[in-house]
């Protein structure tokens, strides 16, 4: 059993690393989508003779840049270092999976399982969670290879995967703790994103580069297929991005994943993210006259978010609750709640988050934190593993709002 102190450090450092490499991956992905939508077909004979399919000029940081794109291997020799964009993806997946393992798989009975949702053993829950990652990638990959390049292929792929994601969201919320279910859906999609890079995008590029270095002329149709497949998976990745980011952030907001209809909330917010991403993708093409005005996507996405906000709006507090909040609560009463609901994780033996609630001094020190996590965000106890009641939450609320006495 890892000491809680070292567990928290591992959590912090892995999360820090994961955020850094994810920013690098998402940033490069967004940049290349921006490039693809702003590249203009060259007009000069020299550029056409080199095989350029598009170029643009940009200014940044006091310098001028001239990105150029070749749809196939350049006719001339590459006389400088060729940069490969794959470590950003791999590092994001590896750090994210390590963090998921440390938090949710290693502590499955606390973070992954909510017995009020589905009561099962940690080994079975862990195996099922991992199967979400594998099965989703398998289904997605088969669908892409089967329908991706047929007539209306992207619409077919999008429709099928939408159904799969909705079903997976519903199923995850029936099996796992709400917080874990949201994160698992994001991890499922993020795994497919990284798998796209590992299994399709980079291997195709390596074959083209190897042929170019060896001076081998590849069949034009084969070259085109490498480019089309890589582009297809790259575009899919960019639409997955905002939904995945939402799921990763959602674990900080318990009002999302504790809602009775949380799977619907999850699906709607992911749809909103994809629609807003479509707006950003298409707006560059619109400015160049190659696409319709995409503002409608952004409007619909924002409307969906406001619908979710309206759905989640809590009902007004009852007069009885308002009156009760004025009644002082003695420390001896609230301490009974701490002893029965909190000490297992915040006592002499274990102090998760470095919080102890087994003495008046430590309770006074952490009173604001207790109020925030037990009453306001309702994140604690985690997945309500100790069965705290609404009456006990109200007791803590009244105790804190009346000065949090410890005498």
């Amino acid at each position: 059993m890892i000491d809680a102190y070292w567990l928290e450090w591992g959590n912090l450092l892995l999360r820090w690393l994961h955020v850094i490499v994810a920013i690098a991956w998402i940033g490069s992905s967004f940049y290349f989508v921006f490039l693809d939508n702003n590249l203009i077909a060259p007009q000069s004979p020299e550029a056409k003779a080199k095989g350029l399919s598009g170029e643009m000029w940009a200014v940044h940081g006091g310098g001028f840049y001239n990105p150029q794109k070749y749809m196939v291997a350049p006719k001339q020799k590459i006389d400088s270092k060729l940069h490969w964009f794959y470590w950003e993806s791999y590092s994001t997946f590896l750090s994210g999976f390590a963090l998921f393992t440390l938090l949710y798989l290693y502590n499955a009975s606390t973070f992954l399982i909510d017995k009020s949702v589905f009561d099962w053993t940690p080994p079975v829950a862990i195996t099922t969670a991992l199967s979400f990652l594998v099965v989703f990638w398998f289904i997605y990959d088969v669908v892409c290879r089967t329908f991706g390049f047929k007539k209306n292929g992207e619409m077919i792929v999008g429709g099928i995967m939408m159904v799969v994601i909705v079903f997976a969201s519903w199923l995850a919320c029936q099996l796992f703790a709400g917080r874990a279910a949201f994160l698992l859906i994001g991890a499922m999609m993020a795994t497919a994103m990284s798998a796209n890079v590992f299994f399709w995008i980079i291997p195709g590029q390596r074959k083209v580069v190897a042929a170019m270095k060896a001076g081998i002329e590849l069949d034009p149709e084969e070259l085109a297929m490498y480019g089309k497949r890589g582009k297809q998976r790259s575009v899919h990745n960019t639409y997955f991005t905002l939904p995945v980011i939402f799921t990763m952030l959602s674990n900080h907001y318990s009002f999302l994943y504790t809602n009775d209809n949380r799977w619907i909330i999850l699906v709607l917010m992911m749809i909103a993210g994809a629609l807003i991403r479509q707006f950003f993708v298409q707006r560059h093409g619109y400015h160049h006259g190659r696409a319709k005005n995409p503002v409608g996507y952004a409007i619909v996405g924002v409307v969906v978010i406001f619908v979710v906000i309206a759905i989640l709006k809590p009902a007004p507090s009852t007069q009885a609750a308002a009156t009760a909040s004025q009644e002082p609560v003695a420390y001896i009463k609230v301490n009974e709640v701490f002893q029965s609901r909190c000490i297992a994780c915040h006592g002499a033996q274990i102090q998760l988050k470095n919080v102890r609630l087994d003495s008046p001094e430590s309770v006074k020190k952490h009173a604001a934190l207790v109020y925030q996590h037990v009453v306001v965000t309702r994140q604690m106890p985690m997945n309500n593993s100790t069965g705290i009641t609404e009456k006990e939450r109200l007791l803590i609320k009244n105790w804190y709002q009346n000065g949090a006495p410890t005498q």
Side-chain angles (χ1 to χ4, degrees):
M1 183 73 177
I2 301 176
D3 183 87
Y5 176 76
W6 299 111
L7 194 66
E8 287 300 297
W9 268 109
N11 180 359
L12 171 61
L13 296 178
L14 278 174
R15 192 180 298 272
W16 194 12
L17 172 64
H18 184 55
V19 169
I20 291 170
V21 293
I23 289 172
W25 185 18
I26 294 169
S28 63
S29 173
F30 279 23
Y31 176 67
F32 279 104
V33 170
F34 161 80
L35 276 184
D36 279 342
N37 284 283
N38 280 280
L39 293 173
I40 300 174
Q43 301 300 317
S44 67
E46 296 83 3
K48 292 180 179 179
K50 291 194 300 181
L52 282 179
S53 65
E55 64 177 339
M56 70 168 288
W57 284 91
V59 60
H60 178 74
F64 291 88
Y65 297 82
N66 181 213
Q68 301 176 334
K69 181 176 180 178
Y70 299 80
M71 286 304 296
V72 295
K75 295 180 180 180
Q76 74 275 19
K77 180 181 178 181
I78 298 177
D79 58 1
S80 61
K81 179 179 174 58
L82 179 63
H83 184 82
W84 294 82
F85 285 88
Y86 58 83
W87 280 115
E88 298 91 340
S89 168
Y90 300 165
S91 299
T92 301
F93 172 77
L94 292 173
S95 60
F97 187 76
L99 187 60
F100 180 67
T101 299
L102 182 67
L103 289 181
Y104 289 88
L105 303 186
Y106 180 75
N107 294 291
S109 59
T110 301
F111 290 91
L112 194 61
I113 298 172
D114 182 344
K115 292 186 177 181
S116 67
V117 174
F118 197 81
D119 190 0
W120 50 355
T121 63
V124 178
I126 291 169
T127 302
T128 305
L130 293 175
S131 72
F132 268 72
L133 311 185
V134 177
V135 172
F136 180 77
W137 159 249
F138 177 78
I139 294 173
Y140 164 75
D141 187 54
V142 169
V143 169
C144 286
R145 287 189 283 113
T146 304
F147 302 104
F149 297 107
K150 293 184 177 180
K151 185 179 179 180
N152 299 320
E154 286 303 291
M155 291 184 62
I156 296 173
V157 171
I160 293 174
M161 295 316 301
M162 182 67 187
V163 172
V164 172
I165 291 171
V166 170
F167 175 73
S169 300
W170 171 84
L171 183 61
C173 289
Q174 309 308 307
L175 298 178
F176 301 102
R179 182 184 185 190
F182 274 46
L183 189 68
L184 181 60
I185 296 301
M188 176 186 83
M189 297 167 68
T191 298
M193 291 171 66
S194 198
N196 277 338
V197 177
F198 184 80
F199 289 111
W200 290 110
I201 297 174
I202 293 301
Q205 291 175 340
R206 288 195 184 280
K207 290 178 182 178
V208 173
V209 171
M212 179 188 68
K213 289 182 176 180
I216 299 173
E217 288 286 340
L218 292 177
D219 179 73
E221 290 189 8
E222 184 181 6
L223 277 172
M225 182 52 67
Y226 288 141
K228 286 180 181 179
R229 187 178 289 118
K231 179 64 177 175
Q232 177 200 57
R233 300 304 178 96
S234 181
V235 168
H236 292 175
N237 280 2
T238 202
Y239 287 109
F240 281 151
T241 302
L242 294 192
V244 168
I245 293 175
F246 170 76
T247 64
M248 298 305 167
L249 295 176
S250 67
N251 66 95
H252 298 286
Y253 303 95
S254 61
F255 67 88
L256 293 170
Y257 58 75
T258 57
N259 188 275
D260 291 339
N261 298 309
R262 50 186 169 270
W263 74 271
I264 299 176
I265 302 302
L266 174 59
V267 168
L268 289 177
M269 290 301 294
M270 290 194 296
I271 290 173
L275 288 169
I276 292 170
R277 184 68 190 122
Q278 170 65 7
F279 164 74
F280 282 106
V281 169
Q282 193 170 311
R283 65 187 292 270
H284 303 294
Y286 168 69
H287 289 308
H288 289 289
R290 297 194 296 260
K292 296 180 180 180
N293 191 330
V295 69
Y297 293 105
I299 292 173
V300 175
V302 171
V303 168
V304 170
I305 292 174
F306 277 106
V307 168
V308 173
I309 292 173
I311 292 173
L312 291 177
K313 184 180 179 182
S317 300
T318 63
Q319 183 63 37
T323 303
S325 66
Q326 304 303 317
E327 299 174 1
V329 176
Y331 173 69
I332 189 172
K333 288 292 185 183
V334 81
N335 188 48
E336 291 175 2
V337 179
F338 294 151
Q339 293 296 324
S340 60
R341 311 300 186 191
C342 309
I343 293 302
C345 297
H346 301 286
Q349 300 299 318
I350 301 175
Q351 302 95 41
L352 293 181
K353 304 293 182 182
N354 202 29
V355 173
R356 291 185 65 167
L357 300 175
D358 57 343
S359 70
E361 294 76 21
S362 58
V363 168
K364 187 175 184 64
K365 179 181 178 181
H366 298 295
L369 201 61
V370 170
Y371 174 72
Q372 179 185 354
H373 287 291
V374 175
V375 178
V376 179
T377 69
R378 302 169 65 86
Q379 289 182 316
M380 294 293 157
M382 181 61 63
N383 300 326
N384 199 13
S385 57
T386 57
I388 192 171
T389 66
E390 291 302 313
K391 183 177 179 180
E392 289 169 333
R393 290 188 193 274
L394 182 60
L395 193 72
I396 293 174
K397 175 183 178 181
N398 296 347
W399 165 76
Y400 179 79
Q401 292 183 347
N402 284 281
T406 54
Q407 299 296 330

